[in-house]
Amino acid sequence: MSNLIVLGAQWGDEGKGKIVDLFSEKFHAVARYQGGHNAGHTVYIGERKFVLKLIPSGVLRPGVQAVIGNGVVIDPKALLEEIHGLEEMGVDVKAQLKISNRAHIIFPFHRTLEKISEGREGHVAIGTTSRGIGPCYEDKVARRGIRVADFVDSDFAQLYRALAEDKQLIATAFKLTDRVDFKEILEQYKQFAIEIRPLVCDTQHLLNGLIREGKSVLFEGAQGTMLDIDFGTYPFVTSSSAAAGGACTGTGVAPNKIDGIVGVSKAYITRVGAGPFPSEDLTELGEEIRRRGNEFGSVTGRPRRCGWFDVPLLRYTAEVNGFDSLIITKLDVLDELKEIPVCVAYEVDGKVVHEMPASTRRMEAIKPVFERLPGWQTKTQGVAQMDKLPKAAQNYLKFLAERTGVEIGSVSNGPERNETMIIPGSKLEKLLQ
Ligand code: IMP
C-alpha cells in the first residue's frame, strides 16, 4: 500500500472530503498538513451529513489513525466543538485523533486582527473565512506564535502574556471598539488545554513510525493549489502551503516516503472569496450551475462563484504538484447542459498564452478562450462504469485528460460514498492497491 497525497487542483471545495473518506478505508492513517477550521469537508454517509473542518475525514472510519499535523493552525474552541459534535454522532474521536505538538494555536485576537485588516479603508479585502487563520500564520512566521506543545505546558501563561501585550499595543493603536479581554481568554484557554492535552504527541514521529512498520498514510490537503501561499492567485490566497510540498513540511514526513499524488478537480470550477477567476461565468448559466451543484460554502455558507473547467489552470496545478492522477467530481452537475464550455487558453494583453501569469494585473486581464463540447443531457448520477456513461460524457472526460496531460483515475457522480468509480488499469487504481 502507498503513501498518498490527495489535494485540491483548483480553488478548494473540489470534493476532497468525500474522496478522502472513501479512500481512508484502505489506509492506516489520514493526516491533515495545513490550514485550519477555514476548511470544510462534507461527507454524506447514508442519511447522515458530516461537516469536518479541522479533523481529517479519515476519522469517520473506525480504527483509522487521524492526525492533525504541525502545518495546521488550531483554534482549540473550534476543535473541541468539532470533537463533541462528532462524539454526539457516535464517532470515537478521542480514540482515533492525535494532534501535533508543533502546530500553532489560534486565539480570539487573531480573528479581531483579521477583521481590522479586511475592513480597513482603501484595502482590497481578500474575502477570508474570518477564522483568524492568516494572523495566526503571521505570528508563526514572525516567531512569536504559541505552539501546541507550549500551550499544554506549564509555562503557557508566561508565553501568552508576551503575545497578549503585543496584541494589546495593536488594539490600542487601532482604537479598537471590540473589547478584548485578555485575562478571560487566558482562563478559557487553560481549560481547553486540559481537554486537548491527552491528544497531543509528536505526530511526525508517530507517522514515520507507522511508515517504518509498512503502514500507509493518506495526506489530506485542505483548500486548493490556487489558494496556496506561493502558487495561488496571490494575494487572494490562504496563508498556508496547500500544494503537495506542504504535505512534507506540514507533517515531517520526507518527500521520498511519498508514493503518489492525486489531484481532485470538479468537472467545472468554483471559487469563494475575492480574486481573479478567468473562466468565471457571470451569466444565468453560472447561476444554474450554482443551483444544481449546491455551490454554497460548507463553512461560511457564502455562494460560490462558478465557471468552467480551466485547462491552463489544471496544467499549472498538475506541474506544481506532480499529479499522478486526477479525480473528477460532480460530473452529474453538468448532466442537463446542451453544450459545455471549457477554457483552453488565455488571452492576455492581446496575446494567446497557455501559462498562468504571476502578476495580479495580468491575471485580472485574462480573457478566457473557450471551446464548446457537446453535452449529454442524460442522467449520470451513480453510473458506476466509464463505458456506461453517455458517449458525450466519456468524450468530455477524455478531452480533459488529453488537454491537461494527466490521466483521469476516478470520476465521482453523486454525493454518496459509492457514487465514485475508480478507472480499471489507472495509476490511481494501482496506488490504492
Ligand atoms: P482564509 O483561509 O480564511 O485566510 O481565506 C483566504 C481565502 O481562501 C479566501 O478567498 C477564502 O474564501 C479561501 N478559502 C479558505 N478556506 C477555503 C476552503 O476550504 N475552500 C474554499 N476556499 C477557501
Side-chain angles (χ1 to χ4, degrees):
M1 225 5 237
S2 321
N3 299 314
L4 208 65
I5 304 173
V6 174
L7 79 154
Q10 300 169 326
W11 275 289
D13 306 320
E14 297 91 348
K16 299 175 293 288
K18 175 189 151 172
I19 300 298
V20 170
D21 165 65
L22 180 74
F23 289 179
S24 58
E25 181 187 33
K26 298 172 183 278
F27 289 81
H28 293 97
V30 178
R32 268 281 301 271
Y33 58 85
Q34 43 72 233
H37 65 310
N38 50 348
H41 293 167
T42 310
V43 180
Y44 292 90
I45 304 174
E47 297 288 288
R48 300 199 303 165
K49 178 182 172 185
F50 296 85
V51 180
L52 297 148
K53 293 175 187 155
L54 253 172
I55 301 176
S57 319
V59 82
L60 301 177
R61 301 270 184 188
V64 170
Q65 175 72 68
V67 171
I68 295 181
N70 56 278
V72 176
V73 287
I74 299 173
D75 180 329
K77 185 164 183 269
L79 174 68
L80 290 169
E81 277 170 12
E82 196 172 329
I83 292 177
H84 298 151
L86 286 169
E87 280 174 344
E88 274 167 27
M89 292 179 89
V91 183
D92 192 2
V93 186
K94 288 186 180 150
Q96 285 175 252
L97 180 67
K98 287 291 173 208
I99 299 167
S100 169
N101 49 9
R102 291 182 172 85
H104 277 248
I105 297 288
I106 300 179
F107 292 91
F109 42 73
H110 286 131
R111 276 198 305 279
T112 311
L113 285 173
E114 185 165 352
K115 232 166 81 185
I116 298 173
S117 165
E118 283 281 280
R120 219 170 59 228
E121 218 173 294
H123 169 80
V124 181
I126 308 291
T128 67
T129 59
S130 313
R131 298 291 188 273
I133 306 292
C136 180
Y137 277 114
E138 282 176 40
D139 277 346
K140 170 179 174 174
V141 176
R143 297 163 295 183
R144 58 174 174 247
I146 296 182
R147 305 205 293 182
V148 170
D150 299 308
F151 167 57
V152 298
D153 201 72
S154 52
D155 68 350
F156 166 61
Q158 208 179 325
L159 280 172
Y160 173 81
R161 273 186 207 105
L163 187 64
E165 255 171 45
D166 225 74
K167 303 303 174 204
Q168 184 82 70
L169 282 176
I170 299 173
T172 314
F174 277 93
K175 300 187 180 65
L176 256 202
T177 46
D178 296 23
R179 200 177 121 267
V180 184
D181 190 336
F182 291 102
K183 248 170 110 183
E184 187 188 297
I185 297 171
L186 177 63
E187 291 315 313
Q188 201 186 26
Y189 269 58
K190 278 184 186 163
Q191 290 308 309
F192 295 152
I194 294 171
E195 206 174 335
I196 286 173
R197 191 174 292 127
L199 304 177
V200 175
C201 78
D202 201 332
T203 50
Q204 65 84 16
H205 191 58
L206 170 72
L207 290 170
N208 283 298
L210 289 173
I211 293 171
R212 271 195 299 276
E213 287 169 25
K215 294 188 170 148
S216 55
V217 180
L218 179 57
F219 298 85
E220 173 180 356
Q223 288 83 47
T225 311
M226 295 308 292
L227 288 171
D228 179 274
I229 184 74
D230 288 284
F231 295 104
T233 43
Y234 192 91
F236 301 96
V237 293
T238 192
S239 300
S240 63
S241 297
C248 295
T249 54
T251 60
V253 173
N256 61 0
K257 302 288 187 299
I258 309 293
D259 303 296
I261 301 165
V262 177
V264 185
S265 159
K266 277 178 187 156
Y268 48 99
I269 193 165
T270 61
R271 138 161 241 179
V272 279
F277 184 172
S279 68
E280 182 168 20
D281 192 323
L282 295 166
T283 71
E284 175 52 31
L285 199 53
E287 292 269 349
E288 208 174 309
I289 294 296
R290 180 177 310 129
R291 262 194 316 274
R292 285 196 197 147
N294 191 24
E295 296 295 355
F296 295 89
S298 43
V299 169
T300 58
R302 290 182 290 178
R304 295 178 184 144
R305 299 157 66 191
C306 296
W308 305 108
F309 192 92
D310 183 334
V311 171
L313 182 145
L314 252 291
R315 288 183 70 87
Y316 171 72
T317 59
E319 180 170 88
V320 165
N321 294 304
F323 289 147
D324 293 295
S325 194
L326 257 188
I327 298 175
I328 300 291
T329 62
K330 296 185 109 169
L331 182 72
D332 53 306
V333 172
L334 304 181
D335 279 355
E336 283 169 41
L337 299 185
K338 209 164 159 209
E339 227 181 29
I340 306 167
V342 176
C343 171
V344 292
Y346 297 152
E347 196 192 306
V348 189
D349 299 338
K351 283 202 192 97
V352 173
V353 297
H354 295 272
E355 288 78 40
M356 182 65 63
S359 103
T360 310
R361 191 211 45 90
R362 279 172 62 80
M363 264 313 275
E364 276 166 353
I366 288 175
K367 291 197 188 106
V369 179
F370 286 114
E371 274 187 37
R372 284 164 213 282
L373 274 74
W376 42 93
Q377 297 185 290
T378 315
K379 205 164 174 288
T380 61
Q381 182 171 357
V383 175
Q385 275 169 255
M386 184 63 108
D387 57 8
K388 295 268 166 24
L389 283 175
K391 204 82 206 135
Q394 290 184 41
N395 287 340
Y396 181 72
L397 292 167
K398 218 166 124 203
F399 183 88
L400 303 191
E402 276 170 12
R403 293 297 178 100
T404 57
V406 187
E407 72 157 31
I408 291 176
S410 171
V411 179
S412 151
N413 47 357
E416 286 287 337
R417 266 178 179 167
N418 57 4
E419 290 171 322
T420 313
M421 57 179 108
I422 308 285
I423 311 302
S426 62
K427 255 193 198 177
L428 178 65
E429 188 193 46
K430 289 189 195 88
L431 286 165
L432 292 172
Q433 269 158 12

